[in-house]
Structure formats: C-alpha cells, structure tokens
Amino acid sequence: MIPFDFQPRTRIVFGPDSLQRLGELALELGAKRALVVSDPGVIQAGHTQRGIDCLESSGVQTFLFDGVQENPTTVNVAHGVEFANKHQPELIVGLGGGSAMDCAKGINFLLTNGGEMKDYWGVGKATQEMLPMIAVPTTAGTGSEAQSFALITDAETHVKMACGDKKAACRIALLDPKLTVTQPQKVTALTGIDAISHALETFVTKKRNEVSLSFSREGWRLLAGNFTKVLQNPEDVTARGAMQLGACFAGLAIENSMLGAAHALANPLTAHYGVVHGQAVGVMLPSVIRYNGQAFNELYQDLLSIPVDLPNYPQPEQGAEGLADVVQSWVDAAGLATNLNQLSINGEKLETLSADAAKQWTGHFNPRDVDAGEFSKLYQSAMQ
C-alpha cells in the first residue's frame, strides 16, 4: 500500500437548483463583500447574474470581474488583483469553467500573499492565509473546484504554471448540474474528454493510493457511463449531474495522486499550436494508454472491471488496447480530432515538443517512465 495524507478541505454541495444557496453559503463564511470571477460566455448565458442576484438578495455586496480568458494568463490575474484591491472583498466566487476557477485562485494567491504568479509555481509556497473561496463550476471538466492548484499561463513564455497550495483549496464547491445544460456542444465534448482523462490517469499514476483510487473509480463509472449520453441528449439533467459529479471526483483524485504523460504531452501542443486543452489530451490519451499498457496492462484491466452502463464497453481481458480503442471512439464521437495530422501538426517541431513535454511535472507521475525520447515516439504514434 502507498502511504497518503488525506485531509478534505472542500465542502461539496450538489443538486439541481443548488445555485440558489449561494447567498446563504456566503453568509455562512462570514462574507459581506464578494468578488465574483466569471467569463464572457457564462455571463452571456445568464448564470453569472443569477449568482450575483443570489448573493445580493442575501445582503452580500458583489463586484464582478469578467476579464477571464481560456487558459488564463498572468495578465488576467494581474488585472483581477488590481480590480479586487479597489473593492476589498471578503470572499471570492469562481463562477464558470476551469478557467474562471483557476483565475479566481490566482487572484487569491496574489491578493493575500503578494508577488507574482511565478513565485507560487510548485507546491506550498504561500505563507499567508487566503480568502475563503466558493467554486461554482458550469462545466463538467477540470475538477478545479476540488483541487488546491491554479493553472496559470505565463503571458510571456506561454508556459502553463501549476501553482498549488492547500490554502488555495475552495471552502465550498457548489455543483448545480442545470448550469451545465447551456454549454455549447463543443464545450461539453472538450471538458468531458478532459474529465475522462483525469479519471484514467489518476487511476494508474505512481502516486495512486486507496483514497485516490476510490475517487478515480467512481469518477470513471460516472463519466464513462454518461459522456455519450450528454452528447446525444444535452438536456438530460440526470446525465449532466453524473458528469459533473464524475468530474469533481476525478478532481479529488488528482489532488491525491496527480496526473500522467497524457497531460505532459498535451500542454506543449497548447503552448506551441494553440490546441485547446481537452482536444490536446484527447488526441494523446490513446497512445499513452497503449504505451503504459505494455508494462501495466493489469491496471487497465482492473479499471475495465468497474461496471459501466454502456453498450459495447470493453471487457477486462481486452486491457489497454480495448480501453484505448473505446476512448478514441469517444473522441471521434465528440467531433474532435483523433490524430495530430487532423490538427495540421506534423513532425516539424517534434524535438521542441518532446523536450517541453519532458519538462512537464505530470510526466514524473506516469506509471511507466518517460523521457524526451519516449515523448517523441508518443507524438509520432499520434500522428495518424
């Protein structure tokens, strides 16, 4: 057994229409002034205003920062801190997808501890307590609401920095599946594949333990059994709720076991080619499963032994190959590219991509050792 130190820090409130409890929960945390961090798409869908209305009807004065972009950068965070300093909030609410939640955490780091985001790159570098934070995810993807990490891209170098500290963990994750129904189909696809990759990678990492495996297993059961359902019937709130819970559980698994080579390979694709994260992970994940399966096939057989309500689901004896095939079929069904050539990526930057992948810290947790040479082979295997 692998030792672990598990200390739950985030209260999870789940259920349709639970957004209505936002004001009540803010008051429980003793807040009278709240900074709401959201992105334009969520604002346009009306969810942000509904959240603000819930806060203000409870007597919580609210200030909206909307300067969030996909893969939030150090510039977004800096603008958010400048905005927050003008209003002196007692609570931060991240309302949106992973980008809004990550940006909110980044703002919290600098607002309470000062400095720049790069000062917190790594783990446990904050010295002061942070403001309480409530995360209200509107996608079923990153699981950021259950993690103590902020993923912030350096605006100059385009390097994605994972800044982690237990003080940055959200006090409350408010999960309302109705908020995910309005997602565009492409967002449902991209975030869903990302969540699936989290359940898969956390299940096999070197740091996996009894706690992380519990979350990985249930996350996988919920995600694998409902991903195609939400693609086919976006209005299915029950399936949406299962995806949202699955993403949250997979996020809890990340918090306790980290990720693997698929994420190490994905980040350079985003940095050099602007490939959206869910697409980048989806195109690389089958190759990584097959690569790991050469040495750890029994882990994937164990994963496939989890009962999943899905026709044509692989049998455990099919192992890594069967799992890679079904994941690739989901990526295809989602309307995403299944190889790098479809993304107009050939071997011209192969050496740079491989070197950058080797610098990503998630690769260190992959069950099978990887280096720049192996990453190069994995990129090549995903070309077609």
Side-chain angles (χ1 to χ4, degrees), residues 145-206:
E145 69 275 7
Q147 300 171 47
S148 59
F149 283 81
L151 296 180
I152 306 296
T153 299
D154 188 305
E156 295 181 0
T157 65
H158 305 294
V159 171
K160 185 175 284 192
M161 300 181 292
C163 305
D165 196 291
K166 297 301 181 184
K167 303 180 193 69
C170 300
R171 293 283 290 277
I172 299 172
L174 183 58
L175 309 181
D176 184 342
K178 286 189 175 180
L179 299 183
T180 69
V181 172
T182 58
Q183 293 177 89
Q185 183 84 338
K186 189 73 175 286
V187 175
T188 295
L190 291 166
T191 55
I193 289 295
D194 191 27
I196 286 168
S197 75
H198 294 164
L200 270 174
E201 291 218 284
T202 54
F203 192 82
V204 301
T205 62
K206 291 176 181 176

Side-chain angles (χ1 to χ4, degrees), residues 306-372:
I306 300 168
V308 172
D309 180 20
L310 195 70
N312 302 317
Y313 186 69
Q315 295 300 307
E317 58 268 22
Q318 293 177 259
E321 281 298 324
L323 183 60
D325 287 344
V326 76
V327 168
Q328 194 157 4
S329 75
W330 291 341
V331 174
D332 185 47
L336 304 178
T338 56
N339 63 63
L340 292 175
N341 281 332
Q342 292 172 340
L343 297 170
S344 300
I345 297 173
N346 49 38
E348 63 181 16
K349 288 187 178 180
L350 186 59
E351 187 174 337
T352 300
L353 290 171
S354 304
D356 284 358
K359 296 174 185 175
Q360 303 291 318
W361 73 322
T362 57
H364 299 299
F365 305 106
N366 197 65
R368 188 177 173 193
D369 289 341
V370 280
D371 55 21

Side-chain angles (χ1 to χ4, degrees), residues 3-23:
F4 62 83
D5 183 346
F6 177 53
Q7 183 180 358
R9 294 170 180 266
T10 304
R11 172 184 174 188
I12 299 174
V13 179
F14 169 78
D17 299 314
S18 57
L19 179 65
Q20 295 174 8
R21 297 186 59 189
L22 182 57

